[in-house]
Amino acid sequence: MIRIREIDHLVLRVRDLRAMLDFYCKALGCMVERKQDEIGLVQLRAGRSLIDLIPVDGPLGRAGGAPPGAEGRNLDHLCLRVEPFDEQALRAHLAAHGVAAGETASRYGAEGPGPSIYIVDPEGNTIELKGPPWAE
C-alpha cells in the first residue's frame, strides 16, 4: 500500500525565470536550494517541499511543449501550507511585494477546513496560502 505523507515537489514550466524567482523567493520566502544550469532547472525550498522551475527555453523546458499561457496550463493551483497564518501580516507582506491577495475564505485542505488566500504568480499560476485547521 502506498501512503502519501505530503507533496514532495511541484514542477513549473516558466517563461521568465527572473520574475518567478523574485516572486517565489522575495514574496513567498522560498530559497534556492539547487541549480542545474546544464539541464535548465532551479529547485526552490518551500518548507519541507520543493518547487522546481524549468525555463521553457532550456533543455528540459524545450522538451515539454508550448510555454504556459492563457490557453494552456500545466497546473490548476499549488497550495502552500503556511504557519503562522496571520492574515494581516500576510496581506501586508504580499502588498509590499506588489502581490494582490484574494479574499480569505475557509477551504478544505490536507488537515481539514481552515483559512486560505489565493494569489497569482507572474505567469498566471494560482497559489493558495493555507492556514491551520479551525479549532474545534
Side-chain angles (χ1 to χ4, degrees), residues 28-132:
L28 293 185
C30 295
M31 302 289 291
V32 174
E33 179 157 315
R34 188 168 76 132
K35 285 184 170 184
Q36 291 184 279
D37 293 328
E38 67 281 2
I39 62 171
L41 170 67
V42 178
Q43 292 182 297
L44 306 178
R45 174 61 54 188
R48 297 188 332 184
S49 301
L50 294 175
I51 299 172
D52 296 354
L53 302 179
I54 298 177
V56 295
D57 59 354
L60 283 178
R62 284 191 299 270
E71 296 301 317
R73 296 198 175 145
N74 296 330
L75 174 72
D76 178 73
H77 78 277
L78 161 66
C79 180
L80 300 174
R81 173 66 162 81
V82 296
E83 194 166 298
F85 189 91
D86 179 335
E87 181 180 358
Q88 289 181 324
L90 282 171
R91 288 183 179 284
H93 177 78
L94 292 169
H97 290 282
V99 179
E103 69 177 79
T104 300
S106 180
R107 296 182 178 95
Y108 193 85
E111 299 174 305
S116 79
I117 298 172
Y118 283 117
I119 60 175
V120 178
D121 77 14
E123 294 196 1
N125 296 298
T126 300
I127 312 297
E128 178 182 356
L129 301 177
K130 181 82 172 68

